[in-house]
Amino acid sequence: MHTIRTPDLPSREITDEALYWNRREWLKAAGFVAAALPLAPSTLAATRGDDDELTPWETVTGYNNFYEFGTGKEDPKRNAQGFVTNPWSVEVSGEVKNPRTWDLDDLIRGLAVEERVYRMRCVEAWSMVIPWNGFRLRDLIDRLEPTSKARFVEFTTLHDVRRMPGQRSSILDWPYTEALRMDEAMHPLTLMVTGVYGKTLPPQNGAPLRLIVPWKYGFKGGKSIVRIRFTQRQPLTTWNVMAPHEYGFYANVNPNVDHPRWSQKKERRLGEFFRRDTLMFNGYADEVASLYTGMDLRRNY
Amino acid sequence: MEPVAAQGPRRVPGSPRPGAPRRRWVPIAKVGVWAAALVPLLVLSWGLAGGFHVVDPVEEIQRRTGIAILVLLFATLSVTPLRRITGWNSLIRFRRLLGLFAFFYAVLHAFSYFVFDQELSFPAISADVAEHPWVLVGLLSFVLMIPLAVTSTQGWIRRLGGMAWSGLHALVYPIAIFGVLHFWWLVKADVTEPAIYAAVLAVLLVARFLVRRR
Ligand code: HEM
C-alpha cells in the first residue's frame, strides 16, 4: 500500500529535523495531524522523488510571490507579519445547496489533516519541495454540497488595502481570483492548506487557508481565501486576464509550452546553481494526465 | 579632393592637458571610486559565502550585477554633463574606470547566465535568445560593450583618432538603452524599478544636449 512519504531529511538538516519531529509528535498528540493516512494506491505513488530534498523552512517562508504584500520575494515575509487571520470567514456561494458565510473554524472542523510533500513549480522557472499540512479540497467540497450545475470552483483572496499593503498599487486587478475545473478540484492531489512543516501556515504563505495544486504552476494556488464560489461557466482568473497570452486558465506545468518570458523546459530548485529538467505535470503525470485526455495542451496552456 | 587638414598633436581624453597642474587629489579619489565600485562585488561575495541568507544564488548574482552594470553605466554617462555644469574637467579622468567596472559586472552577469542558466549549451542559448526579446537586448547590450572595453586604452584612442574613437564610444547610448529595456521586459508586473532607471537615463541623455559645451 502506498502512503504519503514522510520526509526523510538529509543529515545536514539534522537540527531542523529534530525540531520538526518534536513538533509533529506534539501536534499528533494534540490531535492535529492524522498519522500517516492511507491513500488510494494509484494516486500518490509519486508525491516525492529521490532527488527531492525538502526546501528549508527559511526559504519556504522567506521567498514568496504574494503581491498583496509586495512584489519583491522578501516583501511578504516583512509586510505580512501583523496580519490577523483570526477570526476569518469564508463566503460560499454560487451553485451550492446552501450559500452562506462560514466561520473558518466551522468550515473545516473535522476534516482530516494530512501531511503532503509536494514539489512546487513557479511559472518563473524555480521550484521548491514543501511539506504541507492540509486536507483534500474534495472533502471540503463534499461538505459544501455543490449542485449538479457546478462545473468550476473559484477562489478569491482577501481584498483589504489596510491589511494588505501591496494592494495599494494596482499592478494586479484585485481581488486575486483563481479557479479550477470541478474534476481538478476533486482530484485527491488537490489540497487545501492550513500549515507547513507541521506549523500553522505563516501569513506570507497564504494563511489561514490556501489552495495547492501540485501539477500546476504556483500562481494557481490562491492564498488567504475569503470566498469559494461554484460556477457553471469558467471563471476569470487574475493572471489570465492580465496577460492572456502568458498565463492560461489551466497553467499545468508543461516543459513543452514556453512562457513568452521564460523557457519552461528547465527549472532551478532553489539553492542549486544548475537547472534541472522540468517534468510534465510537475512529475504528477501518472496521477493527473487522464484529466486532460483529448485536450490540446498547447492551446489550453 | 580636399587636403586633409593637418592635425595637431591629439590629446587623449582623460589625460591632463599639457601644462595643466597635476591634481594631487585625483589618485586619492580614484581609490574612492575603486572602493565604491567594488561594493556590489563584496556584498555579493559576502552573501554567497553565507554572510546572509541567499535563497537563490544565481538570481542573487544576476540581480546584484545587473543593477551594478546600470548604476556604473549611468555614472559613466553623467561624467560629461557634470563636467560641463561644474566646469570640473578632472572628472573625465574617472570615466574609463567607471566604464570598465560596468563591463566587469557585465562579464559576471553574462557568465552566470551562460554557465549556470545555460550550461554553455550553444543550442540552448540561441533558442533562448531567439524566443525572448529581453534576453536578446541584454545580449546586444553586452556584446556592444566589448569593443568599447577593448578600445578604452590610450593606445586605442591614439590609433583610432579622437573622432572615430568618440563615434565608436557613442555606442554607450544604445548599450544603456538596451540595458534598461532588458530590465523593463524581464519584470513580470511591477515596472516601478525599471521605470526609475529609465527616467534617470532619460535625464542623463537630455542633460547632455541641454548643457552645451561651455
Ligand atoms: C549576455 C547578456 C545578458 C544576459 C543573457 C542577461 C540575462 C539576465 C538574466 C537571466 C537576468 C535575471 C532575470 C530574472 O531574475 O528573472 C537578468 C537581470 C538583469 N539584467 Fe541582464 N543580461 C544580460 C546583459 C545585461 C546588461 C548588459 C545589463 C545592463 C546594461 C543587464 C541588466 C540587468 C538588470 C538591471 C537585471 C535585473 C536585476 C534585478 O532584477 O534587480 N543585463 N539579466
Side-chain angles (χ1 to χ4, degrees):
Chain A
M1 189 179 68
H2 294 267
T3 54
I4 294 175
R5 299 264 309 269
T6 46
D8 22 317
L9 287 157
S11 52
R12 65 177 174 77
E13 287 174 44
I14 206 86
T15 35
D16 284 355
E17 185 181 32
L19 269 173
Y20 178 48
W21 283 101
N22 279 341
R23 225 177 274 130
R24 264 180 70 86
E25 291 310 314
W26 185 85
L27 285 166
K28 222 184 269 175
F32 286 115
V33 179
L37 281 168
L39 287 151
S42 59
T43 48
L44 286 166
T47 51
R48 189 177 170 207
D50 295 334
D51 205 9
D52 290 334
E53 274 183 32
L54 288 188
T55 302
W57 161 267
E58 295 73 42
T59 300
V60 172
T61 61
Y63 188 90
N64 309 98
N65 272 332
F66 194 177
Y67 285 9
E68 281 79 349
F69 291 109
T71 53
K73 297 281 194 292
E74 290 92 21
D75 292 347
K77 183 177 180 177
R78 192 170 345 110
N79 297 334
Q81 276 324 305
F83 187 64
V84 177
T85 57
N86 192 11
W88 191 272
S89 47
V90 180
E91 180 196 326
V92 175
S93 63
E95 297 294 342
V96 64
K97 201 167 148 201
N98 290 313
R100 59 168 276 203
T101 297
W102 294 74
D103 178 68
L104 178 63
D105 294 338
D106 298 336
L107 181 71
I108 68 177
R109 179 164 298 132
L111 296 179
V113 172
E114 323 168 7
E115 173 180 281
R116 298 271 180 100
V117 178
Y118 281 158
R119 287 176 290 276
M120 150 87 87
R121 171 62 158 78
C122 179
V123 73
E124 296 165 350
W126 52 263
S127 62
M128 304 192 192
V129 180
I130 306 176
W132 299 113
N133 308 91
F135 49 86
R136 298 178 198 201
L137 174 57
R138 162 185 217 140
D139 294 346
L140 177 63
I141 290 178
D142 286 344
R143 170 170 294 181
L144 300 177
E145 298 181 279
T147 68
S148 58
K149 285 190 195 146
R151 291 184 52 230
F152 296 89
V153 54
E154 177 197 70
F155 304 88
T156 305
T157 298
L158 177 69
H159 185 195
D160 184 342
V161 182
R162 280 163 309 147
R163 294 161 71 194
M164 294 182 145
Q167 289 174 337
R168 262 183 244 138
S169 111
S170 54
I171 32 168
L172 292 178
D173 189 11
W174 316 112
Y176 193 91
T177 59
E178 259 308 336
L180 298 172
R181 225 168 52 188
M182 269 317 251
D183 57 343
E184 298 175 322
M186 296 297 278
H187 194 281
L189 283 181
T190 305
L191 205 64
M192 286 307 258
V193 165
T194 52
V196 65
Y197 264 105
K199 280 193 169 191
T200 304
L201 197 64
Q204 63 269 33
N205 292 83
L209 183 69
R210 72 167 297 177
L211 176 68
I212 286 290
V213 194
W215 70 93
K216 293 178 180 284
Y217 293 118
F219 71 85
K220 287 298 288 183
K223 304 187 180 92
S224 304
I225 293 167
V226 293
R227 191 170 69 159
I228 299 175
R229 189 168 67 103
F230 294 89
T231 66
Q232 241 176 313
R233 289 215 254 126
Q234 182 174 307
L236 297 177
T237 55
T238 298
W239 281 103
N240 181 227
V241 168
M242 147 125 184
H245 53 290
E246 297 186 30
Y247 311 95
F249 173 80
Y250 286 95
N252 292 318
V253 176
N254 186 342
N256 307 314
V257 177
D258 281 343
H259 179 279
R261 259 173 260 217
W262 304 282
S263 159
Q264 297 295 20
K265 293 181 193 70
K266 294 191 170 213
E267 68 200 52
R268 182 151 39 239
R269 189 58 56 80
L270 287 181
E272 293 177 357
F273 275 89
F274 294 101
R275 302 192 300 167
R276 55 172 78 199
D277 288 338
T278 287
L279 306 173
M280 189 65 202
F281 294 115
N282 203 20
Y284 302 100
D286 288 349
E287 289 85 359
V288 303
S290 61
L291 294 172
Y292 308 101
T293 37
M295 266 176 74
D296 180 354
L297 296 177
R298 288 196 162 275
R299 291 191 54 231
N300 298 287
Y301 53 89
Chain B
M1 270 242 302
E2 276 187 67
V4 179
Q7 289 180 343
R10 273 186 237 108
R11 202 169 58 78
V12 173
S15 67
R17 208 183 290 274
R22 284 184 67 84
R23 308 226 181 254
R24 264 201 258 113
W25 58 269
V26 167
I28 298 167
K30 277 205 174 160
V31 173
V33 171
W34 269 83
L38 283 171
V39 166
L41 183 68
L42 291 178
V43 173
L44 180 61
S45 315
W46 173 240
L48 294 181
F52 53 88
H53 185 64
V54 173
V55 168
D56 183 344
V58 178
E59 183 193 45
E60 187 79 10
I61 296 172
Q62 287 169 349
R63 296 241 144 133
R64 295 209 181 265
T65 56
I67 294 296
I69 309 168
L70 282 183
V71 170
L72 285 158
L73 272 179
F74 289 2
T76 314
L77 282 172
S78 65
V79 165
T80 296
L82 275 182
R83 195 162 63 108
R84 288 187 195 153
I85 291 166
T86 61
W88 230 10
N89 281 325
S90 306
L91 283 176
I92 191 97
R93 298 172 62 185
F94 302 94
R95 194 169 64 177
R96 178 171 62 201
L97 192 57
L98 291 166
L100 282 176
F101 263 116
F103 182 66
F104 167 72
Y105 285 106
V107 170
L108 292 183
H109 188 81
F111 176 91
S112 82
Y113 168 82
F114 290 130
V115 175
F116 300 131
D117 280 344
Q118 304 298 354
E119 298 178 40
L120 296 177
S121 153
F122 184 74
I125 294 166
S126 38
D128 199 33
V129 171
E131 284 168 27
H132 306 113
W134 72 272
V135 180
L136 175 67
V137 291
L139 183 67
L140 275 176
S141 176
F142 174 64
V143 168
L144 292 179
M145 285 171 100
I146 297 172
L148 302 207
V150 169
T151 60
S152 66
T153 60
Q154 315 242 343
W156 270 102
I157 298 170
R158 238 173 274 122
R159 228 165 295 162
L160 288 172
M163 286 287 279
W165 187 88
S166 301
L168 177 64
H169 281 248
L171 281 176
V172 68
Y173 306 118
I175 287 170
I177 292 167
F178 286 151
V180 170
L181 198 58
H182 167 74
F183 193 8
W184 192 292
W185 280 346
L186 74 87
V187 302
K188 215 164 57 160
D190 185 0
V191 293
T192 317
E193 231 190 311
I196 293 168
Y197 284 84
V200 173
L201 179 59
V203 168
L204 285 172
L205 296 186
V206 169
R208 186 159 285 265
F209 295 103
L210 287 189
V211 190
R212 285 266 139 227
R213 228 170 274 271
R214 297 191 178 190

